[in-house]
């Protein structure tokens, strides 16, 4: 139960902080949400800078080009990264945070060699083809078929909510290889190149007004059998490895950044006049914000425990579900109060009177997805009650 | 940095848990309920023998020489068992009031650093040998027998008898403002630890019951409405754990953060967790939860007592609002 950072942790902090202070402003502001070319360039060139400076793949093993940082250095990294407002992982999310890590644990040597060095340099963008129109929370009900033909699987099906599909080179694709096996038993995990014939991508506008996710239609797409990760029909187990990474520390820097957002909320409240005093004079608001501060600090302490626990195995544990639920609900609550503070400025999604309304609204709208994506809050509660508390499964 | 418990800490926690299971079980508490003052000096002596009061005293003074973080683990276990008596005060007083560490002197206290000092409610008055007043400018000692106080006929928590006093006699100053401040912080952390313990044991009791009780031909723990209530209890428990442990670890090494902030966060988050989990436990027990026989109510009643020691959730939230934006 020791929270002290070591001397070398602090040295790492100084080094990283110095680098970020120099590089983050140079990298400029992120392009418009609908400027895909600009976004890819912005996100991937930033990843390349991280790599060249030795700050990419912070928890990845050295043999895969990562920094293999200790648990405490990882925490320093998340803290400093958030503090410096460094660019969001963006289009690199899938590759860096769960596609690559899944290959490290489950992939063959060839698969690792083919993808991991490129993912960590920002040279390969990945997407996740898991969800289907009739298989969301019940992911194992997926229907996309893969039939063997020579050296290939011939894939037919329909994926949905595929983030960054339109800019990806590869897709972690779940397919059904045995239609007669039980639901969880006939699934395989494939690496699908996105430039194969038969793939059609139709962007779906999100409630943000961007098109961060798409529908992906697959018609007789020939994916080499060699691209399968893990054994045939053992894909559900591999999927759980992927999902655990996705629910693990993928959001750590975002969690820390909430601290800063709450501080900003306080500053804004002080600058806004309600009747004849500042909004911060409102005792009810202050009490609520103080309560959030307690929860935010606890969230970060939870992350410290959770990272230490997963540090041993490399795979985040079940406790990650508790962290995700707590983070999701807290983020939504904080942003709702933030919207109340900016009042009628919330009617505009472009900056008014130097208020942070544009950013607040972007974040508030985005926070709605947190309780749906990567396993909805209801599914996380099922996981906790069934796998941790030991209650029977839903039918 | 490694925020996990060390092996020694796991063993310490386990030792206290076994002790509580053997000596402070619900059945044993029930016997205590009928005793005057709901207090048992023999049990108090055994608690002292476990080293709980002298835990942080140096070895050459008969103590165990452990840290606040270790004390947090001990009080988490005492909270789980809703162990009765002025445990925190006697623990704080060890080393300052003679005989406190050995259990010979039972020390009670009153925190007068908060906003409402007019209403004087004194816990465990008839069982204590010394009463300490925690004031912003120092700690004062009073002889409990010198206080003109009326016993409250029906206390909320059967194990926390209270007296009501109109005024207090002048006390003798035994420690300075700095010590008072330290006590207030450590006391808050230990109360948070007890609240964490209650958040755990109420979830455990509700989980056990939901696995046994059947309705509509199946255990109620197969209904999603029940499962999700308890999943939320688990999340709150883990947040409370992280917060209470962080408070202890920060008190031991203040350079890792801001002590006031860590302690207030613990009281808020552990307080919320205990309150909500104790309520949930009663709800999951159904009609049984509303009986005196099922112990679920004891836990919620203790939470209401602990909410009112060392600062309420609201008071700590107000304090935290001032600290938002300051570097941790
Ligand atoms: C912004 C965003 C990005 C995404 N990106 C990707 C991506 O890149 N790749 C990908 O494959 N998927 C992606 N998803 C999809 C995401 O994984 C699914 O939306 C999610 O799994 C829920 O599935 P669904 O949308 O079909 O909702 P449903 O499963 O239909 O759920 C609808 C509602 O019912 C509830 N529900 C469902 N089952 C149960 C149950 N057993 N008990 C209680 N309640 C239940 C849910 O909690 C939810 O509230 C993304 C989603 C979002 C919002």
């Amino acid at each position: 139960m020791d929270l002290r950072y070591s001397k070398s942790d602090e040295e790492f902090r100084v080094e990283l902080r110095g680098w970020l202070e120099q590089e983050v402003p140079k990298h400029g502001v992120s392009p418009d949400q609908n400027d895909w070319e600009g976004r890819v360039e912005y996100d991937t060139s930033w990843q390349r800078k991280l790599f060249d400076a030795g700050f990419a793949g912070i928890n990845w093993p050295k043999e895969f080009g990562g920094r293999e940082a200790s648990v405490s250095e990882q925490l320093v990294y998340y803290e400093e990264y958030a503090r410096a407002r460094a660019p969001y992982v963006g289009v690199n999310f899938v590759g860096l945070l769960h596609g690559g890590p899944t290959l490290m644990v489950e992939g063959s040597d060839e698969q690792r060699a083919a993808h991991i060095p490129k993912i960590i340099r920002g040279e390969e963008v990945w997407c996740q083809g898991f969800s289907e129109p009739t298989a969301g929370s019940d992911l194992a009900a997926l229907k996309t078929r893969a039939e063997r033909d020579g050296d290939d699987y011939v894939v037919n099906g329909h994926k949905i909510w595929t983030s960054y599909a339109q800019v990806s080179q590869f897709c972690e694709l779940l397919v059904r290889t045995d239609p007669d096996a039980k639901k969880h038993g006939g699934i395989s995990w494939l690496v699908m190149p996105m430039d194969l014939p038969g793939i059609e991508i139709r962007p779906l506008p999100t409630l943000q007004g961007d098109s961060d996710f798409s529908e992906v239609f697959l018609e007789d797409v020939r994916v080499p059998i060699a691209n399968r990760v893990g054994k045939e029909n053992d894909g559900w187990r591999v999927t759980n490895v992927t999902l655990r990474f996705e629910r693990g520390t993928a959001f750590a820097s975002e969690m820390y950044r909430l601290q800063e957002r709450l501080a900003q909320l306080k500053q804004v409240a002080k600058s806004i006049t309600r009747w004849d005093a500042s909004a911060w004079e409102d005792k009810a608001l202050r009490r609520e914000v103080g309560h959030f501060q307690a929860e935010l600090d606890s969230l970060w302490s939870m992350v410290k425990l959770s990272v230490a626990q997963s540090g041993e195995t490399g795979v985040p544990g079940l406790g990650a579900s508790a962290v995700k639920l707590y983070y999701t609900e807290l983020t939504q609550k904080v942003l709702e109060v933030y919207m109340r503070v900016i009042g009628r400025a919330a009617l505009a999604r472009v900056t008014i009177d130097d208020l942070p309304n544009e950013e607040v609204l972007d974040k508030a709208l985005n926070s709605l997805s947190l309780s749906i994506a990567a396993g909805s809050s209801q599914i996380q509660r099922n996981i906790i009650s069934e796998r941790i508390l030991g209650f029977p499964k839903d039918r | 940095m490694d925020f996990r418990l060390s092996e020694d800490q796991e063993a310490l926690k386990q030792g206290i848990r076994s002790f509580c299971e053997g000596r402070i079980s619900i059945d044993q508490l029930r016997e205590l309920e009928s005793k005057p003052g709901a207090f048992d000096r023999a049990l108090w002596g055994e608690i002292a023998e476990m080293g709980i009061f002298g835990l942080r005293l140096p070895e050459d003074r008969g103590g165990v020489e452990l840290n606040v973080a270790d004390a947090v683990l001990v009080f988490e276990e005492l909270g789980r068992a809703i162990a009765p008596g002025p445990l925190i005060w006697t623990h704080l007083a060890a080393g300052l009031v003679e005989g406190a560490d050995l259990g010979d002197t039972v020390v009670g206290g009153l925190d007068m650093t908060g906003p409402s000092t007019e209403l004087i409610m004194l816990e465990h008055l008839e069982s204590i040998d010394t009463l300490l007043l925690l004031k912003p400018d120092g700690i004062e000692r009073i002889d409990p027998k010198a206080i003109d106080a009326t016993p409250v006929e029906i206390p909320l928590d059967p194990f926390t008898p209270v007296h009501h006093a109109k005024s207090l006699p002048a006390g003798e100053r035994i420690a300075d403002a700095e010590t008072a401040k330290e006590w207030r912080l450590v006391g808050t952390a230990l109360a948070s630890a007890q609240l964490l313990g209650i958040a755990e044991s109420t979830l455990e009791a509700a989980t056990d019951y939901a696995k046994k009780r059947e309705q509509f031909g199946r255990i109620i723990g197969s209904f999603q409405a029940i499962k999700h209530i308890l999943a939320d209890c688990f999340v709150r428990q883990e947040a409370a754990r992280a917060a209470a442990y962080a408070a202890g670890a920060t008190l031991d090494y203040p350079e890792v953060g801001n002590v006031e902030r860590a302690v207030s966060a613990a009281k808020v988050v552990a307080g919320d967790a205990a309150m909500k989990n104790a309520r949930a436990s009663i709800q999951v027990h159904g009609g049984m939860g509303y009986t005196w026989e099922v112990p679920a109510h004891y836990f919620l009643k203790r939470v209401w007592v602990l909410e009112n020691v060392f600062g309420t959730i609201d008071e700590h939230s107000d304090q935290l609002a001032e600290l938002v934006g300051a570097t941790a």
Side-chain angles (χ1 to χ4, degrees), chain A residues 1 287 297 381-382 386 389 394, chain B residues 4 211 224 227-228 232 261 272 318:
Chain A
M1 248 163 85
R287 184 163 288 174
D297 286 347
R381 290 188 177 96
N382 282 351
E386 291 164 11
L389 299 178
D394 274 3
Chain B
R4 287 171 304 174
K211 285 180 182 171
Q224 204 175 54
K227 284 162 67 174
H228 286 195
D232 284 333
R261 180 162 150 183
D272 265 345
D318 291 350

mmCIF file with all atom_site columns, all heavy atoms in Angstrom, chain A residues 1 287 297 381-382 386 389 394, chain B residues 4 211 224 227-228 232 261 272 318:
data_model
loop_
_atom_site.group_PDB
_atom_site.id
_atom_site.type_symbol
_atom_site.label_atom_id
_atom_site.label_alt_id
_atom_site.label_comp_id
_atom_site.label_asym_id
_atom_site.label_entity_id
_atom_site.label_seq_id
_atom_site.pdbx_PDB_ins_code
_atom_site.Cartn_x
_atom_site.Cartn_y
_atom_site.Cartn_z
_atom_site.occupancy
_atom_site.B_iso_or_equiv
_atom_site.pdbx_formal_charge
_atom_site.auth_seq_id
_atom_site.auth_comp_id
_atom_site.auth_asym_id
_atom_site.auth_atom_id
_atom_site.pdbx_PDB_model_num
ATOM 1   N N   . MET A 1 1   ? 0.837   -1.207  0.000   1.00 0.00 ? 1   MET A N   1
ATOM 2   C CA  . MET A 1 1   ? 0.000   0.000   0.000   1.00 0.00 ? 1   MET A CA  1
ATOM 3   C C   . MET A 1 1   ? 0.860   1.241   0.000   1.00 0.00 ? 1   MET A C   1
ATOM 4   O O   . MET A 1 1   ? 0.691   2.124   0.813   1.00 0.00 ? 1   MET A O   1
ATOM 5   C CB  . MET A 1 1   ? -0.886  -0.016  1.248   1.00 0.00 ? 1   MET A CB  1
ATOM 6   C CG  . MET A 1 1   ? -2.338  -0.210  0.917   1.00 0.00 ? 1   MET A CG  1
ATOM 7   S SD  . MET A 1 1   ? -3.228  -0.718  2.381   1.00 0.00 ? 1   MET A SD  1
ATOM 8   C CE  . MET A 1 1   ? -3.574  0.831   3.129   1.00 0.00 ? 1   MET A CE  1
ATOM 9   N N   . ARG A 1 287 ? -20.859 22.158  -3.306  1.00 0.00 ? 287 ARG A N   1
ATOM 10  C CA  . ARG A 1 287 ? -20.923 20.868  -2.608  1.00 0.00 ? 287 ARG A CA  1
ATOM 11  C C   . ARG A 1 287 ? -20.890 19.711  -3.602  1.00 0.00 ? 287 ARG A C   1
ATOM 12  O O   . ARG A 1 287 ? -20.199 18.714  -3.393  1.00 0.00 ? 287 ARG A O   1
ATOM 13  C CB  . ARG A 1 287 ? -22.203 20.823  -1.770  1.00 0.00 ? 287 ARG A CB  1
ATOM 14  C CG  . ARG A 1 287 ? -22.314 19.584  -0.939  1.00 0.00 ? 287 ARG A CG  1
ATOM 15  C CD  . ARG A 1 287 ? -23.328 19.743  0.166   1.00 0.00 ? 287 ARG A CD  1
ATOM 16  N NE  . ARG A 1 287 ? -22.846 20.636  1.216   1.00 0.00 ? 287 ARG A NE  1
ATOM 17  C CZ  . ARG A 1 287 ? -23.601 21.034  2.249   1.00 0.00 ? 287 ARG A CZ  1
ATOM 18  N NH1 . ARG A 1 287 ? -24.859 20.638  2.351   1.00 0.00 ? 287 ARG A NH1 1
ATOM 19  N NH2 . ARG A 1 287 ? -23.091 21.816  3.166   1.00 0.00 ? 287 ARG A NH2 1
ATOM 20  N N   . ASP A 1 297 ? -10.782 11.438  -7.246  1.00 0.00 ? 297 ASP A N   1
ATOM 21  C CA  . ASP A 1 297 ? -9.566  10.967  -6.590  1.00 0.00 ? 297 ASP A CA  1
ATOM 22  C C   . ASP A 1 297 ? -9.657  9.463   -6.323  1.00 0.00 ? 297 ASP A C   1
ATOM 23  O O   . ASP A 1 297 ? -8.678  8.735   -6.466  1.00 0.00 ? 297 ASP A O   1
ATOM 24  C CB  . ASP A 1 297 ? -9.333  11.725  -5.277  1.00 0.00 ? 297 ASP A CB  1
ATOM 25  C CG  . ASP A 1 297 ? -8.842  13.149  -5.530  1.00 0.00 ? 297 ASP A CG  1
ATOM 26  O OD1 . ASP A 1 297 ? -8.455  13.455  -6.675  1.00 0.00 ? 297 ASP A OD1 1
ATOM 27  O OD2 . ASP A 1 297 ? -8.849  13.971  -4.592  1.00 0.00 ? 297 ASP A OD2 1
ATOM 28  N N   . ARG A 1 381 ? -22.561 -4.806  -15.264 1.00 0.00 ? 381 ARG A N   1
ATOM 29  C CA  . ARG A 1 381 ? -23.189 -5.248  -14.011 1.00 0.00 ? 381 ARG A CA  1
ATOM 30  C C   . ARG A 1 381 ? -23.441 -6.758  -14.041 1.00 0.00 ? 381 ARG A C   1
ATOM 31  O O   . ARG A 1 381 ? -23.323 -7.433  -13.013 1.00 0.00 ? 381 ARG A O   1
ATOM 32  C CB  . ARG A 1 381 ? -24.508 -4.496  -13.778 1.00 0.00 ? 381 ARG A CB  1
ATOM 33  C CG  . ARG A 1 381 ? -24.301 -3.039  -13.448 1.00 0.00 ? 381 ARG A CG  1
ATOM 34  C CD  . ARG A 1 381 ? -25.605 -2.347  -13.039 1.00 0.00 ? 381 ARG A CD  1
ATOM 35  N NE  . ARG A 1 381 ? -25.323 -0.968  -12.676 1.00 0.00 ? 381 ARG A NE  1
ATOM 36  C CZ  . ARG A 1 381 ? -25.448 0.078   -13.505 1.00 0.00 ? 381 ARG A CZ  1
ATOM 37  N NH1 . ARG A 1 381 ? -25.916 -0.099  -14.727 1.00 0.00 ? 381 ARG A NH1 1
ATOM 38  N NH2 . ARG A 1 381 ? -25.132 1.289   -13.098 1.00 0.00 ? 381 ARG A NH2 1
ATOM 39  N N   . ASN A 1 382 ? -23.791 -7.279  -15.217 1.00 0.00 ? 382 ASN A N   1
ATOM 40  C CA  . ASN A 1 382 ? -23.926 -8.743  -15.323 1.00 0.00 ? 382 ASN A CA  1
ATOM 41  C C   . ASN A 1 382 ? -22.590 -9.420  -15.029 1.00 0.00 ? 382 ASN A C   1
ATOM 42  O O   . ASN A 1 382 ? -22.523 -10.410 -14.300 1.00 0.00 ? 382 ASN A O   1
ATOM 43  C CB  . ASN A 1 382 ? -24.390 -9.143  -16.732 1.00 0.00 ? 382 ASN A CB  1
ATOM 44  C CG  . ASN A 1 382 ? -25.881 -8.924  -16.933 1.00 0.00 ? 382 ASN A CG  1
ATOM 45  O OD1 . ASN A 1 382 ? -26.612 -8.621  -15.980 1.00 0.00 ? 382 ASN A OD1 1
ATOM 46  N ND2 . ASN A 1 382 ? -26.333 -9.063  -18.163 1.00 0.00 ? 382 ASN A ND2 1
ATOM 47  N N   . GLU A 1 386 ? -22.143 -11.894 -11.957 1.00 0.00 ? 386 GLU A N   1
ATOM 48  C CA  . GLU A 1 386 ? -21.990 -13.321 -12.264 1.00 0.00 ? 386 GLU A CA  1
ATOM 49  C C   . GLU A 1 386 ? -20.569 -13.819 -12.003 1.00 0.00 ? 386 GLU A C   1
ATOM 50  O O   . GLU A 1 386 ? -20.369 -14.852 -11.378 1.00 0.00 ? 386 GLU A O   1
ATOM 51  C CB  . GLU A 1 386 ? -22.378 -13.581 -13.731 1.00 0.00 ? 386 GLU A CB  1
ATOM 52  C CG  . GLU A 1 386 ? -23.886 -13.396 -13.938 1.00 0.00 ? 386 GLU A CG  1
ATOM 53  C CD  . GLU A 1 386 ? -24.291 -13.250 -15.407 1.00 0.00 ? 386 GLU A CD  1
ATOM 54  O OE1 . GLU A 1 386 ? -23.445 -13.494 -16.297 1.00 0.00 ? 386 GLU A OE1 1
ATOM 55  O OE2 . GLU A 1 386 ? -25.462 -12.885 -15.654 1.00 0.00 ? 386 GLU A OE2 1
ATOM 56  N N   . LEU A 1 389 ? -19.435 -11.882 -8.025  1.00 0.00 ? 389 LEU A N   1
ATOM 57  C CA  . LEU A 1 389 ? -20.287 -12.202 -6.874  1.00 0.00 ? 389 LEU A CA  1
ATOM 58  C C   . LEU A 1 389 ? -20.865 -13.623 -6.951  1.00 0.00 ? 389 LEU A C   1
ATOM 59  O O   . LEU A 1 389 ? -21.392 -14.128 -5.970  1.00 0.00 ? 389 LEU A O   1
ATOM 60  C CB  . LEU A 1 389 ? -21.421 -11.172 -6.757  1.00 0.00 ? 389 LEU A CB  1
ATOM 61  C CG  . LEU A 1 389 ? -20.975 -9.712  -6.549  1.00 0.00 ? 389 LEU A CG  1
ATOM 62  C CD1 . LEU A 1 389 ? -22.179 -8.775  -6.505  1.00 0.00 ? 389 LEU A CD1 1
ATOM 63  C CD2 . LEU A 1 389 ? -20.161 -9.571  -5.269  1.00 0.00 ? 389 LEU A CD2 1
ATOM 64  N N   . ASP A 1 394 ? -27.663 -14.914 -16.677 1.00 0.00 ? 394 ASP A N   1
ATOM 65  C CA  . ASP A 1 394 ? -28.917 -14.690 -17.385 1.00 0.00 ? 394 ASP A CA  1
ATOM 66  C C   . ASP A 1 394 ? -29.081 -15.838 -18.362 1.00 0.00 ? 394 ASP A C   1
ATOM 67  O O   . ASP A 1 394 ? -28.100 -16.392 -18.819 1.00 0.00 ? 394 ASP A O   1
ATOM 68  C CB  . ASP A 1 394 ? -28.818 -13.389 -18.188 1.00 0.00 ? 394 ASP A CB  1
ATOM 69  C CG  . ASP A 1 394 ? -29.180 -12.195 -17.343 1.00 0.00 ? 394 ASP A CG  1
ATOM 70  O OD1 . ASP A 1 394 ? -29.436 -12.397 -16.143 1.00 0.00 ? 394 ASP A OD1 1
ATOM 71  O OD2 . ASP A 1 394 ? -29.202 -11.079 -17.884 1.00 0.00 ? 394 ASP A OD2 1
ATOM 72  N N   . ARG B 2 4   ? -0.776  -2.300  -3.917  1.00 0.00 ? 4   ARG B N   1
ATOM 73  C CA  . ARG B 2 4   ? -1.376  -3.521  -3.359  1.00 0.00 ? 4   ARG B CA  1
ATOM 74  C C   . ARG B 2 4   ? -0.936  -3.723  -1.915  1.00 0.00 ? 4   ARG B C   1
ATOM 75  O O   . ARG B 2 4   ? 0.054   -3.165  -1.459  1.00 0.00 ? 4   ARG B O   1
ATOM 76  C CB  . ARG B 2 4   ? -0.952  -4.726  -4.202  1.00 0.00 ? 4   ARG B CB  1
ATOM 77  C CG  . ARG B 2 4   ? -1.647  -4.764  -5.537  1.00 0.00 ? 4   ARG B CG  1
ATOM 78  C CD  . ARG B 2 4   ? -1.066  -5.819  -6.406  1.00 0.00 ? 4   ARG B CD  1
ATOM 79  N NE  . ARG B 2 4   ? 0.389   -5.624  -6.569  1.00 0.00 ? 4   ARG B NE  1
ATOM 80  C CZ  . ARG B 2 4   ? 1.172   -6.462  -7.187  1.00 0.00 ? 4   ARG B CZ  1
ATOM 81  N NH1 . ARG B 2 4   ? 0.708   -7.570  -7.693  1.00 0.00 ? 4   ARG B NH1 1
ATOM 82  N NH2 . ARG B 2 4   ? 2.470   -6.206  -7.305  1.00 0.00 ? 4   ARG B NH2 1
ATOM 83  N N   . LYS B 2 211 ? -28.492 -15.729 -2.576  1.00 0.00 ? 211 LYS B N   1
ATOM 84  C CA  . LYS B 2 211 ? -28.173 -17.041 -3.157  1.00 0.00 ? 211 LYS B CA  1
ATOM 85  C C   . LYS B 2 211 ? -29.007 -18.154 -2.526  1.00 0.00 ? 211 LYS B C   1
ATOM 86  O O   . LYS B 2 211 ? -29.029 -19.275 -3.024  1.00 0.00 ? 211 LYS B O   1
ATOM 87  C CB  . LYS B 2 211 ? -26.682 -17.350 -2.973  1.00 0.00 ? 211 LYS B CB  1
ATOM 88  C CG  . LYS B 2 211 ? -25.804 -16.553 -3.929  1.00 0.00 ? 211 LYS B CG  1
ATOM 89  C CD  . LYS B 2 211 ? -24.329 -16.866 -3.724  1.00 0.00 ? 211 LYS B CD  1
ATOM 90  C CE  . LYS B 2 211 ? -23.497 -16.009 -4.670  1.00 0.00 ? 211 LYS B CE  1
ATOM 91  N NZ  . LYS B 2 211 ? -22.058 -16.102 -4.375  1.00 0.00 ? 211 LYS B NZ  1
ATOM 92  N N   . GLN B 2 224 ? -32.298 -10.160 -12.427 1.00 0.00 ? 224 GLN B N   1
ATOM 93  C CA  . GLN B 2 224 ? -31.326 -9.128  -12.778 1.00 0.00 ? 224 GLN B CA  1
ATOM 94  C C   . GLN B 2 224 ? -31.477 -7.872  -11.912 1.00 0.00 ? 224 GLN B C   1
ATOM 95  O O   . GLN B 2 224 ? -30.483 -7.209  -11.589 1.00 0.00 ? 224 GLN B O   1
ATOM 96  C CB  . GLN B 2 224 ? -31.478 -8.768  -14.251 1.00 0.00 ? 224 GLN B CB  1
ATOM 97  C CG  . GLN B 2 224 ? -30.227 -8.199  -14.819 1.00 0.00 ? 224 GLN B CG  1
ATOM 98  C CD  . GLN B 2 224 ? -30.341 -7.965  -16.298 1.00 0.00 ? 224 GLN B CD  1
ATOM 99  O OE1 . GLN B 2 224 ? -31.255 -7.288  -16.766 1.00 0.00 ? 224 GLN B OE1 1
ATOM 100 N NE2 . GLN B 2 224 ? -29.424 -8.514  -17.043 1.00 0.00 ? 224 GLN B NE2 1
ATOM 101 N N   . LYS B 2 227 ? -29.378 -8.646  -9.012  1.00 0.00 ? 227 LYS B N   1
ATOM 102 C CA  . LYS B 2 227 ? -27.959 -8.739  -9.382  1.00 0.00 ? 227 LYS B CA  1
ATOM 103 C C   . LYS B 2 227 ? -27.356 -7.352  -9.603  1.00 0.00 ? 227 LYS B C   1
ATOM 104 O O   . LYS B 2 227 ? -26.230 -7.080  -9.190  1.00 0.00 ? 227 LYS B O   1
ATOM 105 C CB  . LYS B 2 227 ? -27.804 -9.567  -10.668 1.00 0.00 ? 227 LYS B CB  1
ATOM 106 C CG  . LYS B 2 227 ? -27.962 -11.064 -10.438 1.00 0.00 ? 227 LYS B CG  1
ATOM 107 C CD  . LYS B 2 227 ? -28.252 -11.823 -11.727 1.00 0.00 ? 227 LYS B CD  1
ATOM 108 C CE  . LYS B 2 227 ? -27.109 -11.817 -12.697 1.00 0.00 ? 227 LYS B CE  1
ATOM 109 N NZ  . LYS B 2 227 ? -27.397 -12.686 -13.881 1.00 0.00 ? 227 LYS B NZ  1
ATOM 110 N N   . HIS B 2 228 ? -28.108 -6.494  -10.262 1.00 0.00 ? 228 HIS B N   1
ATOM 111 C CA  . HIS B 2 228 ? -27.544 -5.182  -10.582 1.00 0.00 ? 228 HIS B CA  1
ATOM 112 C C   . HIS B 2 228 ? -27.435 -4.278  -9.359  1.00 0.00 ? 228 HIS B C   1
ATOM 113 O O   . HIS B 2 228 ? -26.490 -3.489  -9.245  1.00 0.00 ? 228 HIS B O   1
ATOM 114 C CB  . HIS B 2 228 ? -28.338 -4.525  -11.717 1.00 0.00 ? 228 HIS B CB  1
ATOM 115 C CG  . HIS B 2 228 ? -28.056 -5.154  -13.051 1.00 0.00 ? 228 HIS B CG  1
ATOM 116 N ND1 . HIS B 2 228 ? -28.401 -4.589  -14.238 1.00 0.00 ? 228 HIS B ND1 1
ATOM 117 C CD2 . HIS B 2 228 ? -27.438 -6.320  -13.366 1.00 0.00 ? 228 HIS B CD2 1
ATOM 118 C CE1 . HIS B 2 228 ? -28.009 -5.379  -15.238 1.00 0.00 ? 228 HIS B CE1 1
ATOM 119 N NE2 . HIS B 2 228 ? -27.434 -6.439  -14.729 1.00 0.00 ? 228 HIS B NE2 1
ATOM 120 N N   . ASP B 2 232 ? -23.714 -2.839  -8.279  1.00 0.00 ? 232 ASP B N   1
ATOM 121 C CA  . ASP B 2 232 ? -23.436 -1.435  -7.935  1.00 0.00 ? 232 ASP B CA  1
ATOM 122 C C   . ASP B 2 232 ? -22.820 -1.343  -6.536  1.00 0.00 ? 232 ASP B C   1
ATOM 123 O O   . ASP B 2 232 ? -21.943 -0.509  -6.294  1.00 0.00 ? 232 ASP B O   1
ATOM 124 C CB  . ASP B 2 232 ? -24.708 -0.594  -8.008  1.00 0.00 ? 232 ASP B CB  1
ATOM 125 C CG  . ASP B 2 232 ? -25.096 -0.298  -9.455  1.00 0.00 ? 232 ASP B CG  1
ATOM 126 O OD1 . ASP B 2 232 ? -24.196 -0.275  -10.308 1.00 0.00 ? 232 ASP B OD1 1
ATOM 127 O OD2 . ASP B 2 232 ? -26.293 -0.086  -9.728  1.00 0.00 ? 232 ASP B OD2 1
ATOM 128 N N   . ARG B 2 261 ? -7.000  16.435  1.400   1.00 0.00 ? 261 ARG B N   1
ATOM 129 C CA  . ARG B 2 261 ? -7.830  16.036  0.271   1.00 0.00 ? 261 ARG B CA  1
ATOM 130 C C   . ARG B 2 261 ? -8.071  14.523  0.256   1.00 0.00 ? 261 ARG B C   1
ATOM 131 O O   . ARG B 2 261 ? -9.184  14.053  0.043   1.00 0.00 ? 261 ARG B O   1
ATOM 132 C CB  . ARG B 2 261 ? -7.139  16.484  -1.019  1.00 0.00 ? 261 ARG B CB  1
ATOM 133 C CG  . ARG B 2 261 ? -7.881  16.127  -2.258  1.00 0.00 ? 261 ARG B CG  1
ATOM 134 C CD  . ARG B 2 261 ? -7.374  16.983  -3.393  1.00 0.00 ? 261 ARG B CD  1
ATOM 135 N NE  . ARG B 2 261 ? -7.479  16.283  -4.658  1.00 0.00 ? 261 ARG B NE  1
ATOM 136 C CZ  . ARG B 2 261 ? -7.055  16.789  -5.807  1.00 0.00 ? 261 ARG B CZ  1
ATOM 137 N NH1 . ARG B 2 261 ? -6.500  17.984  -5.830  1.00 0.00 ? 261 ARG B NH1 1
ATOM 138 N NH2 . ARG B 2 261 ? -7.182  16.116  -6.919  1.00 0.00 ? 261 ARG B NH2 1
ATOM 139 N N   . ASP B 2 272 ? -20.573 7.246   1.477   1.00 0.00 ? 272 ASP B N   1
ATOM 140 C CA  . ASP B 2 272 ? -21.604 6.953   0.477   1.00 0.00 ? 272 ASP B CA  1
ATOM 141 C C   . ASP B 2 272 ? -21.776 5.453   0.289   1.00 0.00 ? 272 ASP B C   1
ATOM 142 O O   . ASP B 2 272 ? -22.893 4.935   0.212   1.00 0.00 ? 272 ASP B O   1
ATOM 143 C CB  . ASP B 2 272 ? -21.171 7.522   -0.892  1.00 0.00 ? 272 ASP B CB  1
ATOM 144 C CG  . ASP B 2 272 ? -21.744 8.899   -1.136  1.00 0.00 ? 272 ASP B CG  1
ATOM 145 O OD1 . ASP B 2 272 ? -22.678 9.299   -0.412  1.00 0.00 ? 272 ASP B OD1 1
ATOM 146 O OD2 . ASP B 2 272 ? -21.252 9.571   -2.065  1.00 0.00 ? 272 ASP B OD2 1
ATOM 147 N N   . ASP B 2 318 ? -17.776 20.091  0.995   1.00 0.00 ? 318 ASP B N   1
ATOM 148 C CA  . ASP B 2 318 ? -17.556 21.546  0.975   1.00 0.00 ? 318 ASP B CA  1
ATOM 149 C C   . ASP B 2 318 ? -16.068 21.860  1.037   1.00 0.00 ? 318 ASP B C   1
ATOM 150 O O   . ASP B 2 318 ? -15.563 22.739  0.340   1.00 0.00 ? 318 ASP B O   1
ATOM 151 C CB  . ASP B 2 318 ? -18.271 22.211  2.160   1.00 0.00 ? 318 ASP B CB  1
ATOM 152 C CG  . ASP B 2 318 ? -19.790 22.161  1.999   1.00 0.00 ? 318 ASP B CG  1
ATOM 153 O OD1 . ASP B 2 318 ? -20.257 21.786  0.901   1.00 0.00 ? 318 ASP B OD1 1
ATOM 154 O OD2 . ASP B 2 318 ? -20.507 22.486  2.973   1.00 0.00 ? 318 ASP B OD2 1
#
